[in-house]
Amino acid sequence: MTPAPVIIAIDGRSGAGKTTLAIELAATLRNHHKVSLFHVEDIYPGWDGLSAGIERYVTTVLAPLSRGEAATWVSWDWKNHNDGDPRVTLPAEIVIVEGVGAAAAAARPHLDAVIWADSPDGERRTRALERDGDTYEPFWDQWASQEVELLAADDIPQHAHVRVLNRADGTAPADALQVLTYLPELTTALVPELSSRRGLRLLSERLDASPDPAALFQALYGSSSNAVWLDSSLRSAGSAGPGRGTPAAERSRFSILADDGGTFGQSVLHSSGVTRVTAGCATANVSGPFFRWLETVWGRKAVRGPEGYPCDFALGWLGYLGYELKRETGGQDIPSDTPDVALIFAGRAVVLDHTDNTVWLLALDAPDATDWLGRARAAVTAAPKAGGSTRVELPAAHDAMPATATPDAAAPAFAGRDSEASYKRKIAEAQHQIAEGNSYEVCLTTTLEAEVGALDPWAAYLALRRRNPAPFASYLRFGGLTVASTSPERFLRIASDGGMRAEPIKGTRRRAADPDTDAALRQDLATSLKDRAENIMIVDLLRNDLSHFAEPGSVTVSRLCEIESYATVHQLVSTIDAILLPGAPRAEAVAACFPAGSMTGAPKISTMAILDRLEEGPRGVYSGAIGYFSLNGATDLAVAIRTLVVQDGGDGEKVKLTLGVGGAITADSVAQDEYEEIRTKAYGVLSTLGSPFPD
């Protein structure tokens, strides 16, 4: 008896391309494995024999194969309409079974993975008749009715690990294999395929150019359904950017532009314990914690950056982690109407170096890499040069936060989850929890929402970045979901060499147009004992978070409560550094710090439970993290604040806009001051849209 094989079933309605997919997938797998292939159609007893055929297939073929035994079965003679010759299917390292009912309920206990192949009804009939000609056409309706009956009683697609939209363009086998490697059930069997995924070669080009990043993004990715722009708008907007050598300049040096196109392109959505990975026409559902999945695909150094390349991003995953991912790090399970994670895998990208005025084109070596490099090079050359004024119109002191304003007719009308009174009641409850010893800082947030008939997220983001340039600005597009952020705050960086850094912001004052007033506001922040206390509490929390996977003694605070000024606010910023313990799992190191302590308060776990009760709803993208996980083991993530989330329902549905705002509550917080702080933080986004803060 041989060891039990790995059995992969390919199921689907007739004409969905199951047979071709199975044959081509088996041919690819035979590069590294012994593979057996079984077609269920060979055992159906006639045109009305779907149910009986499934029973024969399970008992005489699948059951012995799953035990590592040879399967002896009787074929069906379709010409003479009776039993044909006995046949034998030998077990192998991998067995692929395909056909209608291959993954039926009776079969599933014997299977390691299920692929459901699908295609439009009209195409399926055409393909099936082209394959089998006149012999099938008289029986199409008879057979189709059996398929309908089977699927009504047994929803096989819902049990599939992988779903393939088979367009019959030759892409399905490669796409299916790419997502199969993510299934835990196949990890051991597909070690050679996993190894080849890690043995990647990076191609690169360096161009002396300073193209306008918005124009370049639109030229390359304007029509991409999924695309990411990690936009250092603080730097790219022009000469008014931060001075060379300052912390803000370090954060503002690079912009990254990418989509999920090309040979290696993939997208990932995670919600409530299920990670959905899509590569081309194939999608895999992987159950389990997201950070565990992340550890399997990121953290090992799969590539090295090009010689002389100064950025730590060397292709990989880009997107956001939503706040509700806290369920994996000690928080409660709160469902959200946006995915808990949305990422793309970029097998090619453009990186702008705003300090050296250079452009780097990066692509994983693939058949389509040379063509893409040529198109990207041409787009860089054709793009207008970066420039323009960074001047931002600031409000005068007396009208910085207008209590009432008549919005333009087209401006979104936001409503708050909390009224002023209810937010102040929650502040009082947070202070009660502090007095009871359950927390010593509660980062209380609320949500503003609006519905509009239409909104152009791209135009809104361009207006946001002009009005409020920030080192961690970003524009993320995932189909009908868009995230437009002008975040100034770094959550966590882990460099490829293991250096770790967190830079929490606690303490905010608005900017004013009058220089004397503006200076007074800055001085007020610098001398505020309350704001300093808030910041130091979070610094202490992050020192603890980093220490879980840091070399002992390496955690240091290199900056404490320093002021950084941005277009619309002054902020109090600290920097905590550490060195990652050699061999430590990098995804777990990220999880140990998530969500950002500056958005929870401290101690983190007990305070998150308090927040769940007080806030009475999910935060979604807001106060999660935005950034990248690079193939060289590096990550750089910003806190998702100053962030507008746009959900386009399509089909005439209204567009939903969401903006989260909040502030840290301590024992000596003044309710009115805290309420004014959330108005200040909302101002940059709301004023750009022409919207007042809701009453």
Side-chain angles (χ1 to χ4, degrees):
M1 182 185 298
T2 62
V6 169
I7 303 179
I8 302 171
I10 302 178
D11 207 330
R13 301 285 299 274
S14 291
K18 301 180 298 299
T19 302
T20 302
L21 175 58
I23 291 171
E24 294 182 1
L25 183 60
T28 301
L29 289 171
R30 285 187 179 116
N31 291 327
H32 302 290
H33 311 274
K34 292 183 177 179
V35 181
S36 287
L37 183 58
F38 175 77
H39 304 285
V40 185
E41 68 179 28
D42 291 338
I43 206 171
Y44 299 131
W47 290 108
D48 59 354
L50 176 56
S51 178
I54 292 172
E55 182 179 349
R56 293 173 64 172
Y57 146 69
V58 172
T59 56
T60 65
V61 178
L62 206 51
L65 286 176
S66 65
R67 297 191 297 265
E69 301 170 359
T72 302
W73 50 279
V74 177
S75 65
W76 181 254
D77 186 337
W78 288 94
K79 183 177 181 180
N80 296 310
H81 302 285
N82 54 29
D83 283 340
D85 299 329
R87 298 184 187 177
V88 175
T89 299
L90 297 175
E93 183 184 353
I94 297 175
V95 175
I96 297 177
V97 292
E98 71 83 18
V100 179
R108 288 197 289 272
H110 303 286
L111 304 175
D112 295 284
V114 173
I115 299 174
W116 177 264
D118 207 354
S119 58
D121 289 348
E123 290 184 19
R124 288 193 302 100
R125 190 177 194 279
T126 300
R127 289 181 199 166
L129 297 184
E130 285 178 350
R131 182 192 66 196
D132 294 328
D134 296 338
T135 60
Y136 194 175
E137 187 167 14
F139 302 99
W140 172 263
D141 291 335
Q142 179 182 347
W143 185 261
S145 66
Q146 294 176 84
E147 293 179 355
V148 171
E149 184 178 349
L150 170 66
L151 295 175
D154 181 6
D155 193 353
I156 298 173
Q158 293 303 312
H159 296 277
H161 300 89
V162 173
R163 299 188 70 159
V164 176
L165 180 60
N166 197 342
R167 303 185 181 93
D169 58 2
T171 62
D175 291 344
L177 181 57
Q178 187 160 230
V179 298
L180 281 172
T181 60
Y182 292 115
L183 300 181
E185 298 86 352
L186 302 185
T187 299
T188 302
L190 299 182
V191 165
E193 286 73 19
L194 283 165
S195 297
S196 64
R197 191 171 74 193
R198 293 171 186 144
L200 302 170
R201 179 169 171 253
L202 182 63
L203 307 178
S204 67
E205 288 187 25
R206 179 185 182 277
L207 306 173
D208 290 319
S210 183
D212 179 77
L216 183 59
F217 182 86
Q218 190 70 350
L220 286 171
Y221 307 121
S223 61
S224 300
S225 295
N226 302 322
V228 169
W229 176 15
L230 301 183
D231 168 28
S232 178
S233 62
L234 184 63
R235 183 72 188 183
S236 62
S239 60
R244 185 185 287 264
T246 65
E250 179 272 324
R251 296 187 221 114
S252 307
R253 181 171 180 179
F254 302 106
S255 294
I256 301 168
L257 297 71
D259 71 356
D260 61 348
T263 299
F264 293 97
Q266 299 164 51
S267 62
V268 169
L269 298 175
H270 177 97
S271 293
S272 300
V274 178
T275 301
R276 191 165 83 240
V277 187
T278 298
C281 67
T283 298
N285 291 316
V286 183
S287 297
F290 168 77
F291 284 111
R292 184 183 302 166
W293 177 85
L294 182 63
E295 188 62 41
T296 67
V297 302
W298 171 74
R300 300 177 182 87
K301 294 185 179 181
V303 301
R304 290 184 178 180
E307 185 176 352
Y309 176 61
C311 182
D312 233 354
F313 175 72
L315 301 178
W317 305 94
L318 307 99
Y320 77 78
L321 313 181
Y323 178 74
E324 270 62 54
L325 203 59
K326 67 183 172 62
R327 69 170 60 87
E328 299 183 16
T329 61
Q332 298 177 16
D333 186 359
I334 306 293
S336 173
D337 65 351
T338 53
D340 299 326
V341 177
L343 301 170
I344 62 169
F345 181 83
R348 53 203 195 185
V350 178
V351 178
L352 308 182
D353 184 341
H354 304 300
T355 297
D356 289 350
N357 292 319
T358 56
V359 176
W360 289 83
L361 310 180
L362 308 178
L364 295 176
D365 194 4
D368 56 356
T370 300
D371 177 64
W372 180 83
L373 287 168
R375 287 188 285 112
R377 189 187 315 114
V380 170
T381 302
K385 184 177 175 59
S389 172
T390 59
R391 182 171 180 268
V392 177
E393 294 293 336
L394 291 168
H398 67 277
D399 64 0
M401 292 286 110
T404 59
T406 303
D408 183 87
F414 281 84
R417 179 182 288 170
D418 294 289
S419 65
E420 180 175 350
S422 67
Y423 191 74
K424 289 179 178 178
R425 283 196 299 271
K426 291 178 179 181
I427 291 172
E429 176 58 26
Q431 290 178 312
H432 173 71
Q433 293 294 329
I434 292 170
E436 291 292 305
N438 299 321
S439 178
Y440 48 88
E441 182 176 2
V442 178
C443 296
L444 180 66
T445 78
T446 189
T447 301
L448 312 181
E449 292 185 354
E451 287 191 346
V452 294
L455 183 132
D456 183 351
W458 175 245
Y461 175 67
L462 294 182
L464 281 172
R465 75 188 292 267
R466 283 193 301 269
R467 184 171 184 81
N468 190 26
F472 292 109
S474 56
Y475 177 80
L476 319 176
R477 183 169 61 233
F478 297 95
L481 173 67
T482 302
V483 178
S485 178
T486 55
S487 174
E489 182 175 357
R490 172 176 276 146
F491 161 47
L492 176 67
R493 185 187 73 185
I494 303 177
S496 57
D497 63 4
M500 305 172 75
R501 171 167 287 185
E503 295 184 280
I505 293 174
K506 270 289 164 245
T508 303
R509 294 292 185 277
R510 62 175 173 82
R511 299 294 306 272
D514 175 66
D516 291 338
T517 304
D518 193 55
L521 289 166
R522 180 184 173 100
Q523 180 64 18
D524 179 62
L525 177 61
T527 56
S528 168
L529 295 178
K530 173 188 175 293
D531 289 296
R532 186 176 181 87
E534 287 180 15
N535 197 294
I536 291 173
M537 287 183 206
I538 298 306
V539 167
D540 189 50
L541 170 63
L542 288 173
R543 288 172 64 244
N544 178 70
D545 286 350
L546 290 174
S547 70
H548 290 298
F549 291 94
E551 287 189 2
S554 71
V555 181
T556 60
V557 179
S558 56
R559 291 197 312 154
L560 185 63
C561 297
E562 292 194 4
I563 292 182
E564 294 182 2
S565 297
Y566 295 92
T568 58
V569 292
H570 301 294
Q571 311 242 235
L572 209 58
V573 186
S574 294
T575 301
I576 307 101
D577 291 307
I579 299 173
L580 185 69
L581 197 66
R586 296 192 173 212
E588 290 188 33
V590 175
C593 299
F594 189 87
S598 61
M599 299 306 297
T600 62
K604 185 182 286 186
I605 292 176
S606 62
T607 304
M608 286 193 296
I610 293 169
L611 290 167
D612 287 339
R613 294 194 300 272
L614 291 179
E615 293 180 354
E616 302 176 300
R619 294 185 182 182
V621 180
Y622 170 63
S623 71
I626 297 172
Y628 67 73
F629 300 95
S630 173
L631 289 174
N632 60 0
T635 182
D636 202 356
L637 301 166
V639 182
I641 54 177
R642 319 291 196 271
T643 297
L644 179 69
V645 178
V646 183
Q647 294 171 267
D648 187 348
D651 298 326
E653 295 291 326
K654 287 191 173 182
V655 177
K656 179 180 177 182
L657 311 180
T658 307
L659 175 67
V661 288
I665 310 303
T666 61
D668 58 353
S669 288
V670 177
Q672 186 60 41
D673 292 346
E674 297 295 344
Y675 187 69
E676 289 304 318
E677 182 170 333
I678 67 170
R679 290 167 59 86
T680 296
K681 290 175 176 176
Y683 180 74
V685 174
L686 294 185
S687 61
T688 302
L689 298 174
S691 303
F693 193 90
D695 292 335

